Amino acid sequence: MKQLKLGFFVSILGMLFPFLSYGQSNSLGDRGPAPVEEQRHVHQQRISHKQKLLFRRPNVRHTAQYEFYVRIEKAAKAKQRLLRKLAKPQYSNFSYFGHRNPPKKHLPYAMRYCKECGIRH
């Protein structure tokens, strides 16, 4: 009984396989490429002289107000740059000994006691 069901299933699958594989074909076959649609020329509206004057942008580049805002933006960028620099850990490098800048290396006879870190350098 099981062999009969299996044989029936295989025969049905054998008949349907060519139809299913034909439906999955993505090739164009004998058909040529799709016809290209004509490109229509878009008519642009004419703008009169009065309309041009109405939509003209005001020239504000060399006014005092414009220069003020340029200065403000430059100052804000400089402040942001300074804040980024100060956000870095101040004492991350052990050779700094608590100084903002690394201390200078002096010769042994020229070394002096440092008030900040308590080390001779």
Side-chain angles (χ1 to χ4, degrees):
M1 186 74 176
K2 288 184 181 181
Q3 287 181 344
L4 184 64
K5 286 183 180 178
L6 184 63
F8 179 73
F9 179 73
V10 170
S11 63
I12 295 283
L13 191 63
M15 288 190 304
L16 290 178
F17 184 75
F19 294 113
L20 294 174
S21 63
Y22 179 74
Q24 293 293 322
S25 175
N26 290 332
S27 66
L28 292 174
D30 296 337
R31 292 178 290 153
V36 179
E37 294 181 21
E38 291 183 24
Q39 294 180 353
R40 296 180 182 170
H41 180 70
V42 178
H43 179 70
Q44 293 182 349
Q45 293 180 344
R46 292 187 179 258
I47 299 173
S48 68
H49 184 65
K50 284 184 179 181
Q51 287 173 331
K52 284 182 184 178
L53 289 176
L54 281 173
F55 294 118
R56 189 179 66 184
R57 293 186 190 133
N59 189 11
V60 294
R61 287 196 68 145
H62 299 292
T63 60
Q65 190 175 10
Y66 179 81
E67 291 171 4
F68 168 76
Y69 283 115
V70 169
R71 273 198 328 270
I72 293 295
E73 285 180 9
K74 283 183 183 177
K77 283 183 183 178
K79 177 130 183 163
Q80 289 292 328
R81 204 174 304 123
L82 183 67
L83 287 174
R84 275 197 306 271
K85 184 180 174 187
L86 291 176
K88 294 178 183 175
Q90 189 173 341
Y91 308 119
S92 62
N93 189 350
F94 65 90
S95 68
Y96 279 56
F97 301 115
H99 298 273
R100 271 186 190 251
N101 301 317
K104 293 182 180 172
K105 309 272 186 195
H106 293 96
L107 295 173
Y109 63 86
M111 282 186 182
R112 50 189 178 270
Y113 179 76
C114 181
K115 294 177 185 174
E116 286 186 47
C117 58
I119 301 174
R120 284 181 53 209
H121 49 78

